[in-house]
Amino acid sequence: MSAINSSFFSVETEFHGQYHIIRTKPPFLVLLVFVSCALGALLRTILKESKFPINVIVCLIGVLLGVVGYFVKEFTILTEYIAEIDPILFLHMFTPAIIFTAAFEMDFYVFRKSFWQILLLSGPGFLLNFTLIGCLTYKINEYNWNWHVSMLFGIILSTTDPILSVASVKNIGLSKIVIHLIKGESLFNDATTAIVFELYRDLVSDPHTEYAKEIIIKLILKFFASTIFGFLSSRIVIYWRSHVFNDRLTEVILSFSMIYLIFFIAEWIGMSGVISLTVLGILLDSLSSSPGVDEFIFTFWSMLTVWAHIMIFIITGIVIAVEAFPHVTIHDLFYILTFYLALNLIRGLVVLFLSPLLSRLGYGFNGRWGAVIVWSGMRGIFTLTMALGISQSKDPGTAAMKSMILLHAGTASLMTLMINSTTVKKLVTTLGLCNYVTHPKRTGMYSAVQRITEMEANTFSIVKFDRFLADANWTIAEKAIKIDYPYKFDIEEVSQNVRTLKCPDRNAEISSETTPQQIADILEEARLRLLTAQIASYQKQYHTGMLNQDAAQTLIDAAESCIDIREKFMNFDEVKTYWESKGLLASFRKWLSDWVYNVEDEKSKPPRNKILKLCHHIVFMDEFEYTSNIIILLNLFPILMDFITHLDETYIRELKICNYYFLSLYILEASLKALAMGRAYIFHRWNQLELVIIAVGLIDIMIINIFKPLHPTYHMIKTIRVFRVIRFIRVLRLLKLVISRLINLLEKQINKQLTFRYDIVKGYVQGEEDTEYLIEQISGHETISKEISKIMEKNKQDAVKELGLMQSHYPDIVTAVKTKQKVHTVLNTATETLKELISSGIVDKNEGAKLQKMILQKKKNVGTLPSTVASPTAEGLLHSISWLENEKNQIEFMQKKAKLLCYDDEDVICEEREMPQGIHLIISGMTKLYGSSPYYGVDKDIFEQRDPTPVPYTDYLVSGAIIGELNCLTMQEMEYTVTCETAVQTCFISIDDLYEAFDAFSECPSLEYKIWLKLALDITIKIFKENLAYQDWSCKMGTKWPYVYVMDVPPESKCYIYDRSMDEVILVYGSVEDCQQLQPYFAPCILPKTCHQVQGTAAVTKLLIVPTTTTMKNKSSRRCRNVCQYHSSRRRQVTIGNIMETDGSSRHSLHSDSNTSLAAQGQSIAESVL
């Protein structure tokens, strides 16, 4: 047993009196790892608000542990073990986490544009840097280092840490371009350092004659092969991740294992693991993981990076104390300071030398950027790793030399962290590179504080009604919630912002006081915030499954490409270039379609002549085609034998006969086809290829027979060989067997591209809609707001038109994409509902996990849905109308009354200011709506007073949309003209038939009420987007959707709102007046909760009521309680009568021709289409 124990454990035996104690030696290295982690967490907690770098303290603690090891035996065991750590293990343990995290955080688009600048700094810049440091070291040091040691020391001090270099500047408002230059230079600097260090050390330690050849091979492996390996690895990781859906644990394990595995493989086979991981990290991004998992992965890698740096510095501190302290003298302090000053000065000179080239590349360059890049060059992992490698190496050299290199590398790293890291923020601020307190930013911050304060005040007022909080100290609470403005405002700016926020009508006065430069600054700041909001919208769409990864990444790249270009907004015409470059496959498919061969398709009418008829019968048999293909395959063998030297000479006569034989068969085949098809034979592409093959074969035979009696010359032999090669075109005829399959593959790829195109456009439109309601908050200025709104509206309309054209040209693909998006939307709602059920305790966590697994599986299955879905028919679209859904009798009634109308391009369906004739359900095609903005029942004069400079209304409608619903309900003239952008087919229901349906289906809920409800919900969603952009209104409406109802407010009558049963009240049509404050409200708007009684002031006024949660169950029976069918019917009859009296003659004269044409064109859907 003791033998077993001693084999598995290191034990010590002690005797204490009569007791025999066996004590095992604990693994102090494991203890050091977790003590270091705990120490790092403690220091981050204590020094959270301090600017002093934690890594410096950790390194000093490591030094202290090393010093204590000289006096305490237990610590000596630990410090000696750490001091002998393998540098290769040190490199492989900590480097992958730091390199990958730094590369993963980089923006691919900014990196791509800054690539040549980064390459210049990390290539020639690094070579100049280490050469100058090496020369200086060789000249001034008193350690008697030779030239090679000095150059190795220069290489060690020239590298920078990609994480530490940007840690102090990334959150202070510095431009992303400068941050990426610093990080990119550090990443490629590390790669160059590792390669140059290895090559130079090998040159010094083992010089040989073929070293130049070895350098070339290593450079190819280190740079080019590593890049390719990193790219291929990224494709593998992305492909693997695409098959792991929303499994956080699996994705983290996958990323963690693959990063270390890729680094190990690259280093093992002689490539650069640093370059491979850099390429991998840059090509991967947050969108390469499943939606919702990216933040978890970011957190995981950030934790690994912090842990790696803590371990690196504490181990370095211990090694310095153990290895270098015995050799330290007082003179070394002078050299420590000298080397620190020298490496900063030399780095500055190198950047200054390269600045003329840097200014002509990428985003440009200036002296202020150069100063920040120089001062932010922190020495870290590679400096310490290479120094540790030299101290542990068995290369010739004194222990003092190795220890001094380690000492100076460690102290250089500590001093850059202590001095550069703590002062770089001050440098950036002094140089004016982080002007985060400009007037536009102060204005935006003031607006944000005002909004938060307002929301706090509203919440504070609501909380006062809580009976459990009635005795709270409200004075203390008010002071505790007060948020002070973080920046300093002068009196003029405060007054200006107060006027801007609280008195919008006086914006003209503010504009006159604002200087042109301030206007330009505000516009630029608004542009940047708008782009940030658009990027956030695209990311949100991806996380909710509404955008696929490629489309989301494309839109984000397009938005980020505009950030650093002044006055540059995201333009839809430029977005189109992202898919227009991928349209070559359609042309290739069209070309291949001309080569498709099918016996049945090619079959023509047989001739009357018996011989020709027999030829026709033979040629168009499947067996004839099979025989032809077999002959081509058999002919392939003698063609190949012609190129095998010894076979060609041995069987020259047999090969010649085979050539004659097969050419005769080709001629026979062509003759039979020509007799069978007649003149049509020559017009088929495969037949043309047959004739070319026969002609080339005859020329081949003629040349061989002509040159045979002559003395062969070089040109004769070359000509014969060329024709032998040309014989391979005979095999091309076999391609007819695979062209159909190739076309199918192209069809799938083209469908993917079209889906990608639709996703981009749909995501772009959604992004514009998400951000257009934030323009006022973003801009803070009326002039700026209108200018941005104009730009965004134009881009949005162009994108909507593109969507409509795609719907018209590729209906099957668009229908499939819409189907998938609809499924995603519903499943997202199910996920949110499940979360609420779990959080409220209604569903147990285990049960919730089962349901969540089922929902995730459904989301995963969305990717397996067909890429094309047949577009719905007229009957299907009628069934999908929300106010006809599941109502069999109403659908049958509409089918009998509806007519199918067809329009050509640029036809006019209805015109502005004419009375509605009915509603049009668009079945196919796209229409354009243009005219004045909808009045929503507000008096025209009042509407024009509220908006004296209205923006022209433009919209595009496609399949499934309905034209004229609201106008038919209210019998108001059309507010827009509808024209056809493509050929359009509509299902037309006349206004008389519609009102007949209202009378026929008047039971609660009536058909008229359901149409009003549908319109009210459409208007409400628009209002919520505009006014509640910061709130989760979509989830709220999803919960209360079945219980909302429409309330009718007759003219001059009063009604109470916002009782305990109402959560929100939205004025969707008409106008009302607050009975207490006499404040008028016009549709569409959300009525404030301070309004408790309103009076209708328009002929028709409709309110949408969103009930409270406690009363939702009782609301379904009250949904149409306030819709009086008798009054609605009477009002409709009076309205129609008035219209017929006043406009009957004009309407008859204007529309008699169109009504006649409609009657002539239209057919009953029940009889023809449905």
Side-chain angles (χ1 to χ4, degrees), residues 68-206:
V68 172
Y70 287 110
F71 309 101
V72 181
K73 179 181 177 182
E74 286 76 7
F75 280 96
T76 304
I77 299 173
L78 172 64
T79 55
E80 289 181 352
Y81 180 79
I82 295 298
E84 296 175 358
I85 188 170
D86 185 3
I88 303 299
L89 174 64
F90 191 84
L91 178 71
H92 283 69
M93 186 180 296
F94 304 121
T95 301
I98 294 174
I99 296 299
F100 175 75
T101 303
F104 189 57
E105 292 175 350
M106 291 192 70
D107 185 293
F108 176 75
Y109 182 86
V110 178
F111 167 77
R112 184 175 63 182
K113 191 165 184 179
S114 307
F115 173 75
W116 293 109
Q117 291 175 304
I118 293 171
L119 194 63
L120 188 63
L121 286 169
S122 59
F126 168 77
L127 295 176
L128 283 173
N129 217 333
F130 90 77
T131 303
L132 292 176
I133 293 177
C135 293
L136 180 67
T137 304
Y138 181 73
K139 292 294 184 182
I140 70 170
N141 81 88
E142 295 183 357
Y143 301 126
N144 296 321
W145 293 352
N146 59 30
W147 173 258
H148 299 305
V149 174
S150 300
M151 295 306 294
L152 286 174
F153 183 70
I155 294 172
I156 292 172
L157 287 189
S158 298
T159 185
T160 54
D161 191 292
I163 297 294
L164 299 178
S165 296
V166 300
S168 302
V169 296
K170 66 179 180 180
N171 294 322
I172 61 175
L174 185 62
S175 171
K176 183 188 289 187
I177 300 172
V178 184
I179 294 175
H180 276 65
L181 279 176
I182 297 171
K183 185 179 290 185
E185 185 225 356
S186 297
L187 280 170
F188 284 87
N189 209 342
D190 292 342
T192 309
T193 300
I195 295 169
V196 174
F197 181 80
E198 179 182 342
L199 293 176
Y200 198 89
R201 189 179 60 181
D202 292 345
L203 174 64
V204 173
S205 60
D206 186 23

Side-chain angles (χ1 to χ4, degrees), residues 851-909:
L851 290 174
Q852 181 68 17
K853 186 176 180 181
M854 295 173 63
I855 295 174
L856 289 177
Q857 185 60 40
K858 293 292 183 182
K859 286 186 176 182
K860 187 176 181 179
N861 292 340
V862 173
T864 63
L865 294 177
S867 58
T868 57
V869 176
S871 54
T873 61
E875 182 178 5
L877 289 174
L878 273 177
H879 280 270
S880 64
I881 296 177
S882 59
W883 41 268
L884 289 179
E885 193 173 6
N886 299 326
E887 296 291 344
K888 184 178 179 181
N889 295 332
Q890 296 179 15
I891 293 174
E892 290 179 353
F893 180 88
M894 293 299 178
Q895 288 178 354
K896 293 178 182 179
K897 299 294 183 179
K899 297 178 181 179
L900 192 65
L901 305 181
C902 298
Y903 300 90
D904 292 328
D905 296 355
E906 299 182 358
D907 282 357
V908 178
I909 297 179

Side-chain angles (χ1 to χ4, degrees), residues 557-805:
D557 288 345
E560 289 181 339
S561 66
C562 301
I563 289 179
D564 296 299
I565 304 176
R566 190 172 179 84
E567 300 181 1
K568 177 71 172 178
F569 287 87
M570 193 174 175
N571 193 307
F572 179 69
D573 291 333
E574 294 179 358
V575 175
K576 290 171 65 175
T577 60
Y578 285 89
W579 73 73
E580 287 177 347
S581 61
K582 298 183 177 182
L584 298 177
L585 291 180
S587 301
F588 185 50
R589 180 197 60 181
K590 184 178 179 181
W591 181 78
L592 283 179
S593 300
D594 297 335
W595 288 85
V596 175
Y597 181 85
N598 187 288
V599 173
E600 296 297 327
D601 294 340
E602 303 292 333
K603 193 172 183 179
S604 58
K605 186 177 180 180
R608 295 180 180 179
N609 186 282
K610 291 183 179 181
I611 297 176
L612 298 180
K613 189 174 183 180
L614 178 62
C615 293
H616 185 276
H617 178 72
I618 294 173
V619 166
F620 288 103
M621 292 175 59
D622 291 333
E623 290 78 2
F624 182 82
E625 187 65 24
Y626 298 152
T627 304
S628 175
N629 294 331
I630 292 173
I631 291 172
I632 297 171
L633 285 174
L634 293 175
N635 191 190
L636 180 62
F637 293 102
I639 292 176
L640 293 174
M641 291 175 66
D642 270 334
F643 290 89
I644 302 175
T645 306
H646 64 281
L647 293 179
D648 181 25
E649 296 175 354
T650 305
Y651 301 102
I652 184 171
R653 183 172 176 277
E654 289 80 0
L655 291 175
K656 185 177 180 181
I657 294 173
C658 285
N659 186 32
Y660 295 160
Y661 173 73
F662 283 109
L663 184 60
S664 302
L665 292 177
Y666 294 150
I667 294 173
L668 176 62
E669 177 189 5
S671 302
L672 290 173
K673 288 184 177 180
L675 292 173
M677 301 176 66
R679 295 179 180 178
Y681 172 80
I682 195 64
F683 297 107
H684 293 270
R685 291 186 179 272
W686 288 109
N687 297 338
Q688 294 170 3
L689 180 61
E690 288 177 1
L691 294 178
V692 171
I693 291 173
I694 293 171
V696 171
L698 292 175
I699 295 172
D700 182 18
I701 294 174
M702 291 172 59
I703 289 175
I704 293 175
N705 290 318
I706 290 173
F707 290 164
K708 182 178 180 180
L710 302 176
H711 180 71
T713 63
Y714 171 77
H715 295 289
M716 292 181 184
I717 296 173
K718 190 173 182 180
T719 303
I720 294 172
R721 287 179 178 177
V722 168
F723 274 92
R724 283 186 178 181
V725 174
I726 295 178
R727 290 178 189 176
F728 275 106
I729 65 173
R730 301 177 184 181
V731 185
L732 294 179
R733 293 181 58 195
L734 294 176
L735 292 178
K736 69 172 72 173
L737 301 175
V738 298
I739 281 185
S740 298
R741 185 165 295 180
L742 184 60
I743 289 177
N744 291 335
L745 294 177
L746 286 175
E747 286 283 355
K748 292 181 180 179
Q749 191 62 32
I750 290 171
N751 290 344
K752 287 182 180 180
Q753 290 186 358
L754 292 173
T755 302
F756 169 75
R757 172 180 171 184
Y758 184 86
D759 277 339
I760 288 181
V761 183
K762 180 64 170 60
Y764 179 82
V765 172
Q766 186 62 50
E768 297 298 288
E769 291 180 350
D770 291 343
T771 53
E772 68 178 339
Y773 304 114
L774 307 175
I775 293 177
E776 291 186 7
Q777 289 80 6
I778 288 174
S779 62
H781 198 285
E782 184 180 9
T783 304
I784 303 299
S785 177
K786 287 185 177 180
E787 184 174 349
I788 294 177
S789 298
K790 187 185 299 184
I791 295 172
M792 291 187 64
E793 185 63 26
K794 180 183 181 303
N795 289 329
K796 177 185 170 183
Q797 293 302 329
D798 291 342
V800 171
K801 182 177 180 180
E802 182 69 26
L803 283 179
L805 292 175

Side-chain angles (χ1 to χ4, degrees), residues 3 65 81 123 139 205 215 474 617 745 932 991 1024 1120 1131:
L65 289 175
Y81 180 79
K139 292 294 184 182
S205 60
I215 287 179
W474 301 109
H617 178 72
L745 294 177
S932 57
I991 191 169
F1024 277 1
C1120 58
R1131 183 171 65 251

Side-chain angles (χ1 to χ4, degrees), residues 1141-1156:
E1141 291 176 4
T1142 57
D1143 300 329
S1145 59
S1146 61
R1147 288 182 61 192
H1148 183 270
S1149 61
L1150 289 173
H1151 303 295
S1152 59
D1153 295 338
S1154 61
N1155 288 335
T1156 304

Side-chain angles (χ1 to χ4, degrees), residues 37 148 151 252 346 384-385 436 440 468 485 518 588 596 695 715 832 934 1010 1150:
C37 293
H148 299 305
M151 295 306 294
V252 169
I346 290 174
L384 301 176
T385 301
Y436 50 86
F468 296 106
Y485 180 73
Q518 287 178 328
F588 185 50
V596 175
H715 295 289
E832 295 299 323
K1010 289 192 292 184
L1150 289 173

Side-chain angles (χ1 to χ4, degrees), residues 272-292:
S272 172
V274 178
I275 291 182
S276 296
L277 286 188
T278 300
V279 174
L280 174 67
I282 291 173
L283 294 178
L284 295 180
D285 49 48
S286 60
L287 300 183
S288 61
S289 56
S290 300

